[in-house]
Amino acid sequence: MLKHLQVANLALVASARVEFEPGLNVITGETGAGKSLLMGALNLALGERTDRGIVRSGAAQCSAEAVFQLDDAAPLNAVLSEIGLAPCAGGEAILRRVVAAGGAGRQFVNDNAVTLQALKRVGDCLADMHGPHEHQSLLDPRAQLELLDAYGRLSVCRGAYAGDFERYDGARRALEELDRRPAAAPPAWLEEQVRELAAADLSEAEEAGLLADQRLLGNAHRILELAEEARQRLTEGEACAFNASAAALKALEAMAGLTEAPAAWAAELRGVLNRMREVARELDAFAQRAECDPERLAQVEERLALYQKLKHKYGGSVPAALARLAAAREELDGARRREERRAQRAEQASAARQAARAAGARLSAGRRQAAAAL
């Protein structure tokens, strides 16, 4: 409420001080008694624009001071904080305006110098001036709510609702933003890629082994023929290389008994004979592995067909297919995390909405109770 209004050197008034009491205060008087001067003084203190002509004749300056006592100073303190001033002490706000006959004027809020714009902001929080045919904020539903909340002392309840609603609005917008982003690929499609490539278990080493097995098994008959021919010429038959070399070794050993040089040749030839025996054994083992096995050949060709199919589908080579498997796994993991994030944000938005609705219900109930009394 307005506690008192003090005026000095305003128009025809040298000095005046008016005290106000709680409730409705009425100032009456005949035309010219000075009622409008008091209203003008209040407007001056609230930061309304004026001119130097209001300074009393012969005075250097005029001033107007209005002191308000607030039951709930929270809205005003919020404005004071925004303009860099301390909150009201004991809920009391002091507005003072000085207009000089020559030079700049000065404005003060709680004895702190402020700009005229700042004084006007503070004044708008404290008083609502109404005159004939003027715009009246009382007709604005927002102003009506401000009045109702102030009357019902609902600033704390209203602030709680505003905070809960802001959290809900932020959670809702975060969820909508995530939904606006298209997924990199349908999870089902990614799952099919990972399943197919992982089940195939491709490797370059296996492919190389399969190709070697395919060549071996596919040419088994010819390989067996050639291996047998080589083995025969090495170790079988009267004219085989082994028998001829063995005869040559005997001759060298006989010569070694007569002279020194053939002993070294005999040793070398003996090593050749040993190697012939080894090669013959290796040929025999190789021929056994190369035996025609239609079932194994079918398995190898079926596996190689899978390699060809997946290479054609996923980049043309085993490394490219393996790279696609790694990428698909990463994308699928990202898609799954996206669903987890969406579920988490949806849960947060739902919880915030319930909290805001509960806070809103409490505020509404307080307003209905205050409205009946008001």
Side-chain angles (χ1 to χ4, degrees):
M1 60 165 283
L2 178 63
K3 286 179 62 178
H4 74 253
L5 179 65
Q6 186 167 324
V7 182
N9 297 322
L10 178 65
L12 300 176
V13 179
S15 179
R17 179 185 176 95
V18 182
E19 299 289 339
F20 296 91
E21 299 296 331
L24 177 64
N25 291 260
V26 179
I27 299 173
T28 64
E30 298 177 357
T31 302
K35 301 184 300 296
S36 297
L37 281 177
L38 290 179
M39 297 304 297
L42 183 56
N43 274 326
L44 188 66
L46 294 174
E48 296 296 334
R49 293 192 176 277
T50 187
D51 57 66
R52 297 171 186 170
I54 64 171
V55 179
R56 187 167 181 262
S57 179
Q61 63 183 28
C62 71
S63 65
E65 179 181 279
V67 178
F68 293 85
Q69 183 63 47
L70 307 175
D71 291 333
D72 181 7
L76 178 59
N77 286 337
V79 174
L80 293 177
S81 177
E82 290 177 9
I83 61 178
L85 297 182
C88 295
E92 186 177 76
I94 304 172
L95 279 61
R96 184 159 55 90
R97 175 94 172 272
V98 178
V99 177
R106 292 168 294 159
Q107 302 79 220
F108 302 88
V109 174
N110 293 337
D111 293 326
N112 295 289
V114 296
T115 64
L116 182 59
Q117 291 80 2
L119 179 66
K120 180 70 165 61
R121 284 192 63 187
V122 173
D124 287 344
C125 292
L126 296 171
D128 195 11
M129 304 296 290
H130 302 286
H133 313 298
E134 291 180 355
H135 168 71
Q136 297 181 11
S137 63
L138 192 61
L139 300 180
D140 186 344
R142 291 172 298 181
Q144 294 169 6
L145 276 180
E146 292 285 350
L147 177 62
L148 177 61
D149 291 343
Y151 178 80
R153 301 177 184 273
L154 297 171
S155 61
V156 174
C157 188
R158 178 172 177 167
Y161 169 69
D164 286 340
F165 182 83
E166 184 176 356
R167 282 186 286 276
Y168 161 64
D169 191 51
R172 177 187 59 79
R173 285 187 282 106
L175 179 61
E176 290 177 353
E177 181 183 358
L178 185 62
D179 286 340
R180 281 195 297 270
R181 300 179 197 162
W189 180 74
L190 286 173
E191 288 175 354
E192 175 60 23
Q193 281 194 345
V194 171
R195 184 202 62 75
E196 184 176 42
L197 287 168
D201 193 22
L202 306 180
S203 78
E204 291 184 277
E206 185 196 25
E207 184 183 29
L210 289 170
L211 290 171
D213 286 348
Q214 184 187 43
R215 286 193 298 272
L216 180 63
L217 294 170
N219 297 287
H221 288 296
R222 180 58 177 160
I223 289 171
L224 287 172
E225 290 175 358
L226 293 174
E228 181 61 22
E229 181 182 352
R231 194 171 62 82
Q232 288 287 338
R233 292 185 181 279
L234 280 175
T235 60
E236 301 292 335
E238 291 294 331
C240 69
F242 184 84
N243 289 343
S245 298
L249 176 60
K250 287 182 180 180
L252 288 174
E253 288 175 341
M255 288 176 63
L258 303 175
T259 181
E260 294 181 358
W265 300 335
E268 291 181 9
L269 187 55
R270 198 175 292 111
V272 171
L273 287 170
N274 290 333
R275 183 58 185 148
M276 281 185 184
R277 289 192 189 96
E278 292 175 3
V279 171
R281 285 194 295 269
E282 290 172 2
L283 278 171
D284 188 55
F286 182 76
Q288 290 179 10
R289 293 198 307 272
E291 288 181 1
C292 184
D293 186 349
E295 185 177 349
R296 171 59 183 160
L297 180 60
Q299 291 173 353
V300 168
E301 290 183 341
E302 181 181 1
R303 181 69 174 162
L304 284 173
L306 177 62
Y307 267 82
Q308 287 300 113
K309 171 188 172 183
L310 295 181
K311 288 195 298 183
H312 177 73
K313 188 174 181 180
Y314 296 111
S317 67
V318 172
L322 293 176
R324 181 55 206 154
L325 172 60
R329 278 175 169 160
E330 185 176 352
E331 291 174 24
L332 183 58
D333 186 51
R336 285 171 177 164
R337 286 200 304 270
R338 182 180 187 276
E339 290 303 314
E340 291 173 1
R341 288 197 304 273
R342 192 197 181 284
Q344 184 180 20
R345 290 187 182 181
E347 184 178 353
Q348 290 172 346
S350 177
R353 182 173 183 268
Q354 291 177 6
R357 288 186 61 142
R362 289 191 293 272
L363 178 60
S364 293
R367 283 173 171 172
R368 283 192 294 270
Q369 185 178 1
L374 180 61

